[in-house]
Amino acid sequence: MRMRRLLVIILAAGEGTRMKSALPKVMHKVAGRSMVGHVLETAKAAGAAEIAVVIGPDHDQVAAEARRLAPEASVFVQRERLGTAHAVLAAREALERGYDDILIMYGDTPLVRPQTLEALRAPLAEGAGLAVLGFRPADPTGYGRLITQGDDLVAIREEKDASAAEKTIGLCNAGLMALDGALALGVLSGIGNANAKGEYYLTDAVESVIARGRPAAVWVAEAGEVAGVNTRAQLAEAEAVIQQRLRRAAMDGGATLVAPETVFFSADTTLGRDVVVEPNVVFGPGVAVADGVVIRAFSHLEGATLATGVSAGPFARLRPGAALGQGVHIGNFVEIKNADLAPGVKVNHLSYVGDSTVGEGTNIGAGSITCNYDGFNKHRTVIGANAFIGTNSLMVAPVTIGDGAYVGTGSVITDDVPADALAIGRARQVNKPGLAARLRERLQAIRKAAPES
């Protein structure tokens, strides 16, 4: 059987005034990913041949996000806010390219699953001209009601227009809709605006399809899956739902979460088998964890990769660019940033390693710091294999410490250390009155003279 080609149109033009934010509503994040990002990922997982994103004027952030996450997506602007059908027709150019199925989604419904979209499309392959996603909320007040006869949908009635009997209907409109591609342009173009708001409503497509002799269908989803996000409270509710999903997926995949309700994932977090995550751990975006890793309590990870057998924490912070090789040990109150740590490295206490490369088997003692920033630029520290960095050592980058070298406790290392050498960088205290003030004046003068970046 021939696969039906799918166009997904994502409506993402809403301002989100109830969010009380300068950020477009669909750019607010759930599990470390923008809401529109979640919808884009779902559309791709559902097999979209093309994705069209409809944004509002001056929503450059949304356009950039769409192109970042789905470079193949087309972006269209709805210049005037004249209703949902009008918004869909902003993507007329995509509609005219001809697809078997048209699926209309919303950028503020981040919890819809790909399998739900597949179920929504199924009636189109069986002859329906249109299918609507429905749900049964605990309280249907405020939602459009789905009027059915047997298995067929015959109308969508907004609450303000519903009769007393229709208001008792518990089946409500979730907003998502699938249209037969052969009918879509004609149906959408034929929708009028003879209503109190003078807007073109997508819901009117139901009766238009039926008038063309084609049935309309309903697929019912769980209420929690189709919830839209319009307020900060609803954003928090969506976060709770997706965290439950991510925790369950992690455990189903072979990870142990000691206290699942205290662990927070990003949508793209990957965990291997036999990973143990202790309580109160937060995964930011871009974290990949291999098999057999232990992440101890109160650690925070973002943009980090952890190879097999790594132990991190408690109270570890792994920042973007942290790459930990097999069997690396990161202890309490240790921060790693943009650093490659080879297998067997140990950084066990109260240390900062940033913009660095550390060779296999090296031990970095408590309180050691790579001094990577001079106030203007970042510089790199290179530490060889099987080196030993004594407690409370400062390595002033750029600097290289050779294989097997030993840095004495409390040293300040400003020059390269040869392989297998012992380096002790200590000096008597010297006070130079007024020099700090003169240095500040000099730096301020340099900054004023430098062109703005």
Side-chain angles (χ1 to χ4, degrees):
M1 182 178 177
R2 184 180 68 86
M3 295 290 293
R4 295 174 65 87
R5 294 183 71 247
L6 171 65
L7 166 65
V8 175
I9 299 176
I10 299 172
L11 304 186
E15 294 290 346
T17 54
R18 283 187 282 170
M19 300 290 279
K20 294 182 171 59
S21 173
L23 197 65
K25 177 172 66 170
V26 300
M27 290 297 294
H28 286 266
K29 292 183 178 181
V30 179
R33 177 183 289 163
S34 66
M35 289 195 285
V36 72
H38 281 281
V39 179
L40 284 162
E41 290 299 317
T42 300
K44 289 191 284 187
E50 183 179 353
I51 299 172
V53 182
V54 178
I55 66 172
D58 303 318
H59 280 191
D60 294 341
Q61 288 173 287
V62 182
E65 180 78 344
R67 292 183 176 117
R68 181 179 72 85
L69 296 174
E72 72 283 0
S74 303
V75 177
F76 301 92
V77 179
Q78 183 189 18
R79 298 290 176 190
E80 299 177 272
R81 300 184 184 281
L82 299 178
T84 46
H86 179 263
V88 175
L89 282 171
R92 178 184 289 273
E93 180 182 324
L95 286 162
E96 289 174 343
R97 285 195 270 272
Y99 289 90
D100 298 302
D101 296 347
I102 311 299
L103 187 58
I104 299 162
M105 302 181 69
Y106 292 83
D108 62 357
T109 54
L111 303 177
V112 178
R113 302 172 188 262
Q115 54 265 41
T116 299
L117 302 183
E118 292 171 9
L120 181 61
R121 292 175 62 197
L124 302 184
E126 297 170 0
L130 174 150
V132 169
L133 195 62
F135 71 113
R136 298 183 183 277
D139 179 5
T141 304
Y143 293 105
R145 307 306 204 277
L146 300 184
I147 315 298
T148 57
Q149 290 181 358
D151 293 333
D152 290 342
L153 176 67
V154 295
I156 301 175
R157 194 84 72 231
E158 297 302 326
E159 183 169 88
K160 64 181 181 298
D161 301 320
S163 66
E166 288 169 340
K167 287 179 180 178
T168 66
I169 296 171
L171 183 59
C172 298
N173 178 29
L176 279 73
M177 181 182 292
L179 278 161
D180 186 306
L183 298 178
L185 261 177
V187 166
L188 294 166
S189 299
I191 291 174
N193 66 342
N195 52 62
K197 288 189 174 182
E199 294 186 354
Y200 301 87
Y201 294 135
L202 185 59
T203 51
D204 290 347
V206 174
E207 294 180 57
S208 178
V209 164
I210 294 170
R212 293 165 185 260
R214 298 283 292 280
V218 177
W219 175 263
V220 181
E222 295 181 5
E225 182 178 358
V226 298
V229 174
N230 294 296
T231 66
R232 302 279 184 165
Q234 291 171 345
L235 188 69
E237 291 167 3
E239 183 75 39
V241 170
I242 204 162
Q243 289 299 333
Q244 285 182 324
R245 290 183 187 175
L246 293 169
R247 291 163 188 154
R248 173 62 65 181
M251 292 185 286
D252 288 347
T256 294
L257 308 185
V258 176
E261 69 281 3
T262 71
V263 177
F264 289 83
F265 291 105
S266 284
D268 63 352
T269 304
T270 62
L271 300 183
R273 295 189 302 174
D274 298 316
V275 170
V276 176
V277 183
E278 292 185 355
N280 299 296
V281 173
V282 176
F283 293 88
V287 177
V289 179
D291 295 347
V293 170
V294 177
I295 302 172
R296 303 200 180 277
F298 295 97
S299 294
H300 188 286
L301 301 82
E302 180 179 357
T305 58
L306 286 68
T308 305
V310 166
S311 175
F315 295 96
R317 187 177 183 201
L318 304 181
R319 292 172 59 194
L324 278 51
Q326 184 173 354
V328 166
H329 281 220
I330 301 299
N332 48 291
F333 303 103
V334 170
E335 180 175 349
I336 309 292
K337 189 271 293 186
N338 191 30
D340 296 312
L341 276 57
V345 169
K346 293 180 174 60
V347 192
N348 278 325
H349 319 281
L350 300 156
S351 295
Y352 169 71
V353 178
D355 297 299
S356 300
T357 300
V358 183
E360 186 170 352
T362 286
N363 185 91
I364 297 179
S368 296
I369 296 173
T370 58
C371 306
N372 56 324
Y373 184 50
D374 63 6
F376 294 94
N377 298 299
K378 300 288 180 69
H379 301 281
R380 199 157 187 88
T381 297
V382 177
I383 304 173
N386 300 308
F388 185 93
I389 309 300
T391 298
N392 285 335
S393 294
L394 305 180
M395 290 152 280
V396 182
V399 70
T400 297
I401 298 169
D403 294 347
Y406 195 112
V407 173
T409 295
S411 292
V412 179
I413 301 301
T414 57
D415 296 315
D416 291 350
V417 179
D420 295 317
L422 168 64
I424 300 174
R426 303 181 190 135
R428 289 181 177 274
Q429 179 173 320
V430 177
N431 297 332
K432 297 189 176 183
L435 185 57
R438 292 196 297 275
L439 178 61
R440 280 195 297 272
E441 291 172 1
R442 181 184 173 194
L443 289 174
Q444 289 169 357
I446 292 171
R447 286 179 177 139
K448 286 179 181 179
E452 293 186 7
S453 58

